[in-house]
Amino acid sequence: MMKLELFEEALCCSTGVCGPSVDENLLRITGVFESLKNSKKIEANRYNLSSNPAEFTKNELVLKQLQEQGNGCLPIMIVDDKIVKSGSYPTNQEIIEITGIELVGTKTKNDSCCGGNTTCC
């Protein structure tokens, strides 16, 4: 089973709807992780620095990145104990390429299920 982990900066909520404006990227990532919950091939976990600080200190890769680069390296995506992306959220296409699983219902204006054409889905 593939293990996918996303370590994020301190957020008041995972969806991005609690601040002064909606963060569409956080909404997209929330949708991606919701769709991965039902997968029998992937264990997907998301950790927030304010809610899950112990996960950050337990993971040597994340701890080293934070010590060397500070919080600017977040978010960090780890797949099977290897950092595959840091400093920004992975696109849906990157997640599809890494996991081999088609994501359903997670398109956004810049990262749609139709390769950028937001009217075809």
Side-chain angles (χ1 to χ4, degrees):
M1 175 178 281
M2 178 184 288
K3 184 177 179 182
L4 185 147
E5 298 173 286
L6 184 65
F7 292 83
E8 300 173 284
E9 64 183 309
L11 302 167
C12 59
C13 67
S14 62
T15 62
V17 297
C18 57
S21 63
V22 175
D23 186 332
E24 289 187 31
N25 213 20
L26 285 176
L27 284 174
R28 179 183 61 79
I29 287 295
T30 298
V32 167
F33 273 76
E34 283 298 316
S35 74
L36 291 175
K37 275 186 179 179
N38 298 324
S39 172
K40 292 178 174 48
K41 297 178 182 180
I42 299 172
E43 175 190 341
N45 295 299
R46 202 172 161 193
Y47 305 113
N48 179 319
L49 185 56
S50 61
S51 303
N52 316 101
E55 296 299 329
F56 285 73
T57 57
K58 285 192 318 190
N59 189 301
E60 291 179 23
L61 293 172
V62 172
L63 190 57
K64 183 178 179 188
Q65 284 280 93
L66 284 169
Q67 289 171 340
E68 291 175 358
Q69 299 177 20
N71 286 357
C73 67
L74 298 174
I76 297 173
M77 189 165 100
I78 296 178
V79 176
D80 293 335
D81 299 319
K82 293 180 183 159
I83 294 176
V84 296
K85 183 150 187 162
S86 68
S88 64
Y89 285 100
T91 65
N92 287 4
Q93 188 59 41
E94 287 173 321
I95 293 171
I96 289 168
E97 289 170 6
I98 290 167
T99 63
I101 292 182
E102 193 66 33
L103 303 173
V104 179
T106 58
K107 76 175 181 90
T108 67
K109 180 170 57 175
N110 297 323
D111 194 18
S112 78
C113 58
C114 304
N117 183 351
T118 58
T119 61
C120 66
C121 298

mmCIF file of all heavy atoms in Angstrom, residues 22-58:
data_model
loop_
_atom_site.group_PDB
_atom_site.id
_atom_site.type_symbol
_atom_site.label_atom_id
_atom_site.label_comp_id
_atom_site.label_asym_id
_atom_site.label_seq_id
_atom_site.Cartn_x
_atom_site.Cartn_y
_atom_site.Cartn_z
ATOM 1 N N VAL A 22 -11.677 32.807 0.710
ATOM 2 C CA VAL A 22 -11.592 31.357 0.502
ATOM 3 C C VAL A 22 -10.299 31.032 -0.243
ATOM 4 O O VAL A 22 -9.967 31.654 -1.239
ATOM 5 C CB VAL A 22 -12.813 30.855 -0.306
ATOM 6 C CG1 VAL A 22 -12.672 29.381 -0.644
ATOM 7 C CG2 VAL A 22 -14.092 31.109 0.464
ATOM 8 N N ASP A 23 -9.551 30.058 0.265
ATOM 9 C CA ASP A 23 -8.338 29.591 -0.389
ATOM 10 C C ASP A 23 -8.708 28.392 -1.252
ATOM 11 O O ASP A 23 -8.894 27.280 -0.746
ATOM 12 C CB ASP A 23 -7.277 29.224 0.653
ATOM 13 C CG ASP A 23 -5.940 28.870 0.034
ATOM 14 O OD1 ASP A 23 -5.910 28.385 -1.124
ATOM 15 O OD2 ASP A 23 -4.919 29.061 0.704
ATOM 16 N N GLU A 24 -8.825 28.627 -2.561
ATOM 17 C CA GLU A 24 -9.250 27.564 -3.477
ATOM 18 C C GLU A 24 -8.280 26.392 -3.502
ATOM 19 O O GLU A 24 -8.682 25.250 -3.707
ATOM 20 C CB GLU A 24 -9.452 28.122 -4.885
ATOM 21 C CG GLU A 24 -10.667 29.015 -4.976
ATOM 22 C CD GLU A 24 -10.964 29.430 -6.395
ATOM 23 O OE1 GLU A 24 -10.674 28.639 -7.323
ATOM 24 O OE2 GLU A 24 -11.508 30.524 -6.571
ATOM 25 N N ASN A 25 -7.007 26.662 -3.286
ATOM 26 C CA ASN A 25 -6.016 25.584 -3.278
ATOM 27 C C ASN A 25 -6.259 24.632 -2.104
ATOM 28 O O ASN A 25 -6.147 23.417 -2.250
ATOM 29 C CB ASN A 25 -4.611 26.171 -3.227
ATOM 30 C CG ASN A 25 -3.605 25.329 -3.976
ATOM 31 O OD1 ASN A 25 -3.951 24.525 -4.830
ATOM 32 N ND2 ASN A 25 -2.355 25.519 -3.649
ATOM 33 N N LEU A 26 -6.584 25.178 -0.937
ATOM 34 C CA LEU A 26 -6.884 24.324 0.219
ATOM 35 C C LEU A 26 -8.178 23.551 0.002
ATOM 36 O O LEU A 26 -8.286 22.387 0.397
ATOM 37 C CB LEU A 26 -6.973 25.152 1.497
ATOM 38 C CG LEU A 26 -5.645 25.628 2.064
ATOM 39 C CD1 LEU A 26 -5.870 26.519 3.282
ATOM 40 C CD2 LEU A 26 -4.751 24.472 2.434
ATOM 41 N N LEU A 27 -9.160 24.181 -0.633
ATOM 42 C CA LEU A 27 -10.399 23.457 -0.959
ATOM 43 C C LEU A 27 -10.105 22.292 -1.890
ATOM 44 O O LEU A 27 -10.626 21.190 -1.714
ATOM 45 C CB LEU A 27 -11.418 24.397 -1.606
ATOM 46 C CG LEU A 27 -12.137 25.352 -0.694
ATOM 47 C CD1 LEU A 27 -12.997 26.314 -1.508
ATOM 48 C CD2 LEU A 27 -12.994 24.608 0.317
ATOM 49 N N ARG A 28 -9.249 22.534 -2.885
ATOM 50 C CA ARG A 28 -8.896 21.485 -3.847
ATOM 51 C C ARG A 28 -8.184 20.335 -3.147
ATOM 52 O O ARG A 28 -8.532 19.166 -3.334
ATOM 53 C CB ARG A 28 -8.006 22.076 -4.942
ATOM 54 C CG ARG A 28 -7.555 21.039 -5.986
ATOM 55 C CD ARG A 28 -6.623 21.669 -7.003
ATOM 56 N NE ARG A 28 -5.409 22.204 -6.406
ATOM 57 C CZ ARG A 28 -4.355 21.457 -6.051
ATOM 58 N NH1 ARG A 28 -4.371 20.142 -6.205
ATOM 59 N NH2 ARG A 28 -3.273 22.020 -5.524
ATOM 60 N N ILE A 29 -7.194 20.657 -2.311
ATOM 61 C CA ILE A 29 -6.438 19.615 -1.596
ATOM 62 C C ILE A 29 -7.362 18.836 -0.660
ATOM 63 O O ILE A 29 -7.249 17.613 -0.532
ATOM 64 C CB ILE A 29 -5.245 20.229 -0.835
ATOM 65 C CG1 ILE A 29 -4.147 20.632 -1.816
ATOM 66 C CG2 ILE A 29 -4.703 19.292 0.227
ATOM 67 C CD1 ILE A 29 -3.498 19.471 -2.563
ATOM 68 N N THR A 30 -8.285 19.525 -0.010
ATOM 69 C CA THR A 30 -9.254 18.846 0.856
ATOM 70 C C THR A 30 -10.063 17.858 0.033
ATOM 71 O O THR A 30 -10.265 16.712 0.448
ATOM 72 C CB THR A 30 -10.178 19.866 1.554
ATOM 73 O OG1 THR A 30 -9.365 20.709 2.384
ATOM 74 C CG2 THR A 30 -11.219 19.172 2.407
ATOM 75 N N GLY A 31 -10.504 18.267 -1.140
ATOM 76 C CA GLY A 31 -11.253 17.369 -2.026
ATOM 77 C C GLY A 31 -10.431 16.174 -2.473
ATOM 78 O O GLY A 31 -10.922 15.045 -2.537
ATOM 79 N N VAL A 32 -9.166 16.419 -2.776
ATOM 80 C CA VAL A 32 -8.270 15.332 -3.190
ATOM 81 C C VAL A 32 -8.139 14.304 -2.074
ATOM 82 O O VAL A 32 -8.292 13.097 -2.295
ATOM 83 C CB VAL A 32 -6.876 15.886 -3.580
ATOM 84 C CG1 VAL A 32 -5.859 14.765 -3.694
ATOM 85 C CG2 VAL A 32 -6.956 16.672 -4.872
ATOM 86 N N PHE A 33 -7.873 14.770 -0.864
ATOM 87 C CA PHE A 33 -7.694 13.835 0.252
ATOM 88 C C PHE A 33 -8.998 13.131 0.609
ATOM 89 O O PHE A 33 -8.982 11.967 1.008
ATOM 90 C CB PHE A 33 -7.047 14.527 1.455
ATOM 91 C CG PHE A 33 -5.553 14.515 1.378
ATOM 92 C CD1 PHE A 33 -4.892 15.386 0.520
ATOM 93 C CD2 PHE A 33 -4.811 13.618 2.112
ATOM 94 C CE1 PHE A 33 -3.503 15.360 0.412
ATOM 95 C CE2 PHE A 33 -3.424 13.578 2.012
ATOM 96 C CZ PHE A 33 -2.767 14.457 1.154
ATOM 97 N N GLU A 34 -10.127 13.806 0.428
ATOM 98 C CA GLU A 34 -11.424 13.145 0.644
ATOM 99 C C GLU A 34 -11.605 12.009 -0.366
ATOM 100 O O GLU A 34 -12.066 10.930 -0.013
ATOM 101 C CB GLU A 34 -12.574 14.150 0.528
ATOM 102 C CG GLU A 34 -12.741 15.030 1.730
ATOM 103 C CD GLU A 34 -13.079 14.265 3.002
ATOM 104 O OE1 GLU A 34 -13.931 13.361 2.966
ATOM 105 O OE2 GLU A 34 -12.472 14.580 4.043
ATOM 106 N N SER A 35 -11.233 12.242 -1.623
ATOM 107 C CA SER A 35 -11.400 11.191 -2.632
ATOM 108 C C SER A 35 -10.413 10.047 -2.420
ATOM 109 O O SER A 35 -10.697 8.908 -2.774
ATOM 110 C CB SER A 35 -11.293 11.763 -4.046
ATOM 111 O OG SER A 35 -9.982 12.071 -4.381
ATOM 112 N N LEU A 36 -9.263 10.320 -1.810
ATOM 113 C CA LEU A 36 -8.282 9.260 -1.554
ATOM 114 C C LEU A 36 -8.636 8.411 -0.335
ATOM 115 O O LEU A 36 -8.118 7.310 -0.188
ATOM 116 C CB LEU A 36 -6.888 9.856 -1.371
ATOM 117 C CG LEU A 36 -6.242 10.464 -2.611
ATOM 118 C CD1 LEU A 36 -4.926 11.134 -2.255
ATOM 119 C CD2 LEU A 36 -6.050 9.429 -3.702
ATOM 120 N N LYS A 37 -9.518 8.915 0.521
ATOM 121 C CA LYS A 37 -9.902 8.161 1.725
ATOM 122 C C LYS A 37 -10.470 6.783 1.405
ATOM 123 O O LYS A 37 -10.302 5.852 2.167
ATOM 124 C CB LYS A 37 -10.965 8.934 2.522
ATOM 125 C CG LYS A 37 -10.408 9.945 3.460
ATOM 126 C CD LYS A 37 -11.533 10.535 4.280
ATOM 127 C CE LYS A 37 -11.003 11.553 5.262
ATOM 128 N NZ LYS A 37 -12.084 12.154 6.044
ATOM 129 N N ASN A 38 -11.147 6.662 0.284
ATOM 130 C CA ASN A 38 -11.798 5.403 -0.073
ATOM 131 C C ASN A 38 -10.895 4.455 -0.838
ATOM 132 O O ASN A 38 -11.319 3.364 -1.210
ATOM 133 C CB ASN A 38 -13.058 5.689 -0.888
ATOM 134 C CG ASN A 38 -14.062 6.484 -0.095
ATOM 135 O OD1 ASN A 38 -14.201 6.298 1.112
ATOM 136 N ND2 ASN A 38 -14.752 7.391 -0.756
ATOM 137 N N SER A 39 -9.661 4.860 -1.090
ATOM 138 C CA SER A 39 -8.751 4.027 -1.854
ATOM 139 C C SER A 39 -8.233 2.865 -1.010
ATOM 140 O O SER A 39 -7.870 3.038 0.148
ATOM 141 C CB SER A 39 -7.567 4.866 -2.342
ATOM 142 O OG SER A 39 -6.604 4.025 -2.931
ATOM 143 N N LYS A 40 -8.183 1.707 -1.628
ATOM 144 C CA LYS A 40 -7.605 0.536 -0.973
ATOM 145 C C LYS A 40 -6.119 0.416 -1.296
ATOM 146 O O LYS A 40 -5.432 -0.436 -0.770
ATOM 147 C CB LYS A 40 -8.348 -0.714 -1.415
ATOM 148 C CG LYS A 40 -9.776 -0.767 -0.903
ATOM 149 C CD LYS A 40 -10.475 -2.007 -1.422
ATOM 150 C CE LYS A 40 -11.836 -2.245 -0.875
ATOM 151 N NZ LYS A 40 -12.778 -1.212 -0.846
ATOM 152 N N LYS A 41 -5.621 1.314 -2.183
ATOM 153 C CA LYS A 41 -4.228 1.267 -2.603
ATOM 154 C C LYS A 41 -3.362 2.318 -1.936
ATOM 155 O O LYS A 41 -2.150 2.228 -1.973
ATOM 156 C CB LYS A 41 -4.141 1.467 -4.120
ATOM 157 C CG LYS A 41 -4.820 0.384 -4.922
ATOM 158 C CD LYS A 41 -4.720 0.675 -6.391
ATOM 159 C CE LYS A 41 -5.433 -0.391 -7.201
ATOM 160 N NZ LYS A 41 -5.343 -0.119 -8.639
ATOM 161 N N ILE A 42 -3.998 3.340 -1.342
ATOM 162 C CA ILE A 42 -3.243 4.459 -0.789
ATOM 163 C C ILE A 42 -3.711 4.792 0.614
ATOM 164 O O ILE A 42 -4.909 4.897 0.870
ATOM 165 C CB ILE A 42 -3.411 5.717 -1.663
ATOM 166 C CG1 ILE A 42 -2.885 5.456 -3.063
ATOM 167 C CG2 ILE A 42 -2.716 6.919 -1.043
ATOM 168 C CD1 ILE A 42 -3.171 6.559 -4.033
ATOM 169 N N GLU A 43 -2.752 4.964 1.504
ATOM 170 C CA GLU A 43 -3.035 5.514 2.828
ATOM 171 C C GLU A 43 -2.628 6.978 2.751
ATOM 172 O O GLU A 43 -1.445 7.293 2.594
ATOM 173 C CB GLU A 43 -2.214 4.792 3.895
ATOM 174 C CG GLU A 43 -2.368 5.394 5.266
ATOM 175 C CD GLU A 43 -1.378 4.844 6.273
ATOM 176 O OE1 GLU A 43 -0.806 3.756 6.036
ATOM 177 O OE2 GLU A 43 -1.164 5.515 7.287
ATOM 178 N N ALA A 44 -3.595 7.888 2.801
ATOM 179 C CA ALA A 44 -3.325 9.315 2.660
ATOM 180 C C ALA A 44 -3.602 10.032 3.978
ATOM 181 O O ALA A 44 -4.698 9.932 4.521
ATOM 182 C CB ALA A 44 -4.180 9.898 1.544
ATOM 183 N N ASN A 45 -2.589 10.742 4.479
ATOM 184 C CA ASN A 45 -2.721 11.483 5.733
ATOM 185 C C ASN A 45 -2.255 12.909 5.532
ATOM 186 O O ASN A 45 -1.276 13.162 4.828
ATOM 187 C CB ASN A 45 -1.888 10.832 6.836
ATOM 188 C CG ASN A 45 -2.403 9.456 7.187
ATOM 189 O OD1 ASN A 45 -3.528 9.295 7.614
ATOM 190 N ND2 ASN A 45 -1.561 8.458 6.982
ATOM 191 N N ARG A 46 -2.949 13.806 6.200
ATOM 192 C CA ARG A 46 -2.663 15.235 6.112
ATOM 193 C C ARG A 46 -2.403 15.757 7.521
ATOM 194 O O ARG A 46 -3.193 15.499 8.427
ATOM 195 C CB ARG A 46 -3.908 15.884 5.524
ATOM 196 C CG ARG A 46 -3.714 17.180 4.889
ATOM 197 C CD ARG A 46 -5.005 17.580 4.202
ATOM 198 N NE ARG A 46 -4.957 19.013 3.978
ATOM 199 C CZ ARG A 46 -5.968 19.737 3.628
ATOM 200 N NH1 ARG A 46 -7.146 19.180 3.456
ATOM 201 N NH2 ARG A 46 -5.827 21.017 3.459
ATOM 202 N N TYR A 47 -1.273 16.462 7.698
ATOM 203 C CA TYR A 47 -0.904 16.943 9.020
ATOM 204 C C TYR A 47 -0.734 18.464 9.000
ATOM 205 O O TYR A 47 -0.049 19.011 8.135
ATOM 206 C CB TYR A 47 0.400 16.295 9.486
ATOM 207 C CG TYR A 47 0.358 14.788 9.469
ATOM 208 C CD1 TYR A 47 1.141 14.065 8.590
ATOM 209 C CD2 TYR A 47 -0.485 14.092 10.329
ATOM 210 C CE1 TYR A 47 1.109 12.674 8.571
ATOM 211 C CE2 TYR A 47 -0.524 12.703 10.319
ATOM 212 C CZ TYR A 47 0.274 12.004 9.429
ATOM 213 O OH TYR A 47 0.233 10.629 9.410
ATOM 214 N N ASN A 48 -1.352 19.111 9.969
ATOM 215 C CA ASN A 48 -1.295 20.556 10.127
ATOM 216 C C ASN A 48 -0.352 20.860 11.288
ATOM 217 O O ASN A 48 -0.465 20.241 12.346
ATOM 218 C CB ASN A 48 -2.721 21.044 10.411
ATOM 219 C CG ASN A 48 -2.834 22.521 10.626
ATOM 220 O OD1 ASN A 48 -2.006 23.137 11.279
ATOM 221 N ND2 ASN A 48 -3.896 23.085 10.088
ATOM 222 N N LEU A 49 0.562 21.803 11.100
ATOM 223 C CA LEU A 49 1.558 22.106 12.124
ATOM 224 C C LEU A 49 0.929 22.508 13.457
ATOM 225 O O LEU A 49 1.422 22.137 14.514
ATOM 226 C CB LEU A 49 2.503 23.202 11.635
ATOM 227 C CG LEU A 49 3.680 23.568 12.526
ATOM 228 C CD1 LEU A 49 4.534 22.349 12.841
ATOM 229 C CD2 LEU A 49 4.529 24.637 11.858
ATOM 230 N N SER A 50 -0.201 23.212 13.429
ATOM 231 C CA SER A 50 -0.820 23.620 14.695
ATOM 232 C C SER A 50 -1.634 22.500 15.334
ATOM 233 O O SER A 50 -1.704 22.403 16.549
ATOM 234 C CB SER A 50 -1.694 24.867 14.513
ATOM 235 O OG SER A 50 -2.738 24.613 13.609
ATOM 236 N N SER A 51 -2.221 21.628 14.527
ATOM 237 C CA SER A 51 -3.063 20.548 15.061
ATOM 238 C C SER A 51 -2.303 19.255 15.332
ATOM 239 O O SER A 51 -2.710 18.464 16.175
ATOM 240 C CB SER A 51 -4.199 20.231 14.084
ATOM 241 O OG SER A 51 -4.966 21.362 13.829
ATOM 242 N N ASN A 52 -1.236 19.015 14.571
ATOM 243 C CA ASN A 52 -0.504 17.746 14.659
ATOM 244 C C ASN A 52 1.005 17.960 14.803
ATOM 245 O O ASN A 52 1.784 17.371 14.051
ATOM 246 C CB ASN A 52 -0.763 16.898 13.410
ATOM 247 C CG ASN A 52 -2.190 16.852 12.983
ATOM 248 O OD1 ASN A 52 -2.569 17.548 12.050
ATOM 249 N ND2 ASN A 52 -2.985 16.057 13.651
ATOM 250 N N PRO A 53 1.461 18.772 15.754
ATOM 251 C CA PRO A 53 2.901 19.059 15.846
ATOM 252 C C PRO A 53 3.760 17.821 16.088
ATOM 253 O O PRO A 53 4.899 17.759 15.619
ATOM 254 C CB PRO A 53 3.005 20.054 17.003
ATOM 255 C CG PRO A 53 1.763 19.849 17.804
ATOM 256 C CD PRO A 53 0.707 19.421 16.825
ATOM 257 N N ALA A 54 3.238 16.831 16.762
ATOM 258 C CA ALA A 54 4.020 15.616 17.042
ATOM 259 C C ALA A 54 4.385 14.889 15.754
ATOM 260 O O ALA A 54 5.467 14.292 15.659
ATOM 261 C CB ALA A 54 3.247 14.697 17.979
ATOM 262 N N GLU A 55 3.503 14.927 14.756
ATOM 263 C CA GLU A 55 3.795 14.263 13.476
ATOM 264 C C GLU A 55 4.996 14.904 12.785
ATOM 265 O O GLU A 55 5.767 14.234 12.112
ATOM 266 C CB GLU A 55 2.570 14.302 12.559
ATOM 267 C CG GLU A 55 1.379 13.531 13.082
ATOM 268 C CD GLU A 55 1.645 12.044 13.263
ATOM 269 O OE1 GLU A 55 2.455 11.464 12.502
ATOM 270 O OE2 GLU A 55 1.034 11.454 14.173
ATOM 271 N N PHE A 56 5.154 16.205 12.960
ATOM 272 C CA PHE A 56 6.275 16.924 12.360
ATOM 273 C C PHE A 56 7.591 16.543 13.032
ATOM 274 O O PHE A 56 8.614 16.418 12.365
ATOM 275 C CB PHE A 56 6.049 18.439 12.463
ATOM 276 C CG PHE A 56 5.031 18.960 11.490
ATOM 277 C CD1 PHE A 56 3.682 18.706 11.669
ATOM 278 C CD2 PHE A 56 5.418 19.713 10.393
ATOM 279 C CE1 PHE A 56 2.739 19.192 10.780
ATOM 280 C CE2 PHE A 56 4.484 20.199 9.488
ATOM 281 C CZ PHE A 56 3.142 19.938 9.683
ATOM 282 N N THR A 57 7.572 16.365 14.332
ATOM 283 C CA THR A 57 8.802 16.021 15.039
ATOM 284 C C THR A 57 9.142 14.536 14.905
ATOM 285 O O THR A 57 10.312 14.172 14.972
ATOM 286 C CB THR A 57 8.714 16.401 16.531
ATOM 287 O OG1 THR A 57 7.591 15.770 17.127
ATOM 288 C CG2 THR A 57 8.599 17.904 16.699
ATOM 289 N N LYS A 58 8.136 13.690 14.691
ATOM 290 C CA LYS A 58 8.394 12.251 14.518
ATOM 291 C C LYS A 58 9.002 11.934 13.158
ATOM 292 O O LYS A 58 9.724 10.963 13.018
ATOM 293 C CB LYS A 58 7.090 11.460 14.663
ATOM 294 C CG LYS A 58 6.607 11.314 16.069
ATOM 295 C CD LYS A 58 5.497 10.306 16.248
ATOM 296 C CE LYS A 58 4.419 10.299 15.219
ATOM 297 N NZ LYS A 58 3.257 9.469 15.556
#
